[in-house]
Amino acid sequence: MSSKKEWALIVSLLLGAILVPINSTMIAVALSSISHTYNESIASITWVVTVYLIVMAVTQPIAGKLGDMYGNKTMYLWGVGLFLIASLGCALSPSLFLLIVFRALQAVGGALLTPNSIAIIRHVVSEKRLPKVFGYFGLGAGLGAALGPFIGSLLIDSFSWHSIFWVNIPFLAIALFTALTMFPQYKENKSEAPLDIIGSLLLAGSIVSIILLTKNESSWGYALYSILILLFVPLFFQTGKTHTASNH
């Protein structure tokens, strides 16, 4: 692969991955506007933020395994495609419920996109350039999260809250087109080990319970989520030990 083509592919991968942290923080400045549009309380609107964090936290550990099983390129393409469709759905959502649904789908796309883009970089970038590229990746992710609210406020002041989702479309379209047309052919050693479904469900239950505990404001909620955490977390670690022992 030529140097110019390699850098074009790197920029495409980074472009898709950086949009994930930007969208996780950009939404924060839009909550008031969204509340006004749907005539819903801020407490209800915050689920637009919470569902993204929950689904991302639950899905991302599994996304890497899916890449090992079905191919990093395939999962990356699914991630970019889902993120694009979900961004369009968020921008056009006629109700808060559909906005929350599309935000969850957006998080699934982001979770698939991020770890698999890193794996693809390892395959397509020369070893000499890897440290520099991963440095750009880390810098971009950090800046994306930090600049999200600033970018969001500029877009909302100039247009409306819908623009924070519309702005994703051209960048994701470029990332998807580049991935489909420029990705080199390379051999992927796909894993034959099955996905640990029980462990994944226990991990999901642990993460969801912890996040909901931080959002809770009632005494019964604290008790319920604390019990669930005490149930799910030890079972998850016990299942992990059993799964590791069985593989050996």
Side-chain angles (χ1 to χ4, degrees), residues 15-16 18-20 22-24 26 52 80 83-88 90-91 103 106 151 155 162-175:
L15 188 64
I18 289 170
L19 286 174
V20 176
I22 288 177
N23 277 265
S24 71
M26 188 164 53
Y52 187 93
V80 175
F83 207 97
L84 193 156
I85 293 169
S87 296
L88 185 62
C90 288
R103 277 288 284 178
Q106 195 181 45
I151 296 171
L155 290 170
H162 302 83
S163 63
I164 67 175
F165 299 112
W166 284 117
V167 74
N168 293 326
I169 305 301
F171 295 110
L172 290 167
I174 292 170

Side-chain angles (χ1 to χ4, degrees), residues 14 133-143:
L14 294 179
V133 172
F134 281 133
Y136 289 148
F137 193 98
L139 177 64
L143 283 177

Side-chain angles (χ1 to χ4, degrees), residues 20-99:
V20 176
I22 288 177
N23 277 265
S24 71
T25 58
M26 188 164 53
I27 190 71
V29 296
L31 297 182
S32 179
S33 300
I34 296 172
S35 175
H36 180 74
T37 298
Y38 294 126
N39 195 27
E40 296 278 358
S41 67
I42 290 293
S44 299
I45 298 298
T46 55
W47 278 103
V48 176
V49 178
T50 304
V51 74
Y52 187 93
L53 298 175
I54 289 176
V55 175
M56 180 71 71
V58 169
T59 312
Q60 199 156 350
I62 303 170
K65 176 61 178 177
L66 293 176
D68 292 338
M69 294 172 63
Y70 302 110
N72 300 123
K73 179 181 176 181
T74 299
M75 290 297 102
Y76 175 81
L77 290 172
W78 270 102
V80 175
L82 284 174
F83 207 97
L84 193 156
I85 293 169
S87 296
L88 185 62
C90 288
L92 298 174
S93 291
S95 66
L96 175 61
F97 173 75
L98 283 176
L99 178 59

Side-chain angles (χ1 to χ4, degrees), residues 214-248:
T214 63
K215 279 184 61 67
N216 179 68
E217 295 181 354
S218 61
S219 56
W220 67 266
Y222 282 117
L224 174 62
Y225 297 131
S226 297
I227 291 171
L228 290 176
I229 291 169
L230 292 173
L231 174 66
F232 285 132
V233 172
L235 284 175
F236 168 71
F237 283 106
Q238 182 60 41
T239 303
K241 289 180 181 178
T242 304
H243 186 71
T244 303
S246 64
N247 287 338
H248 289 293

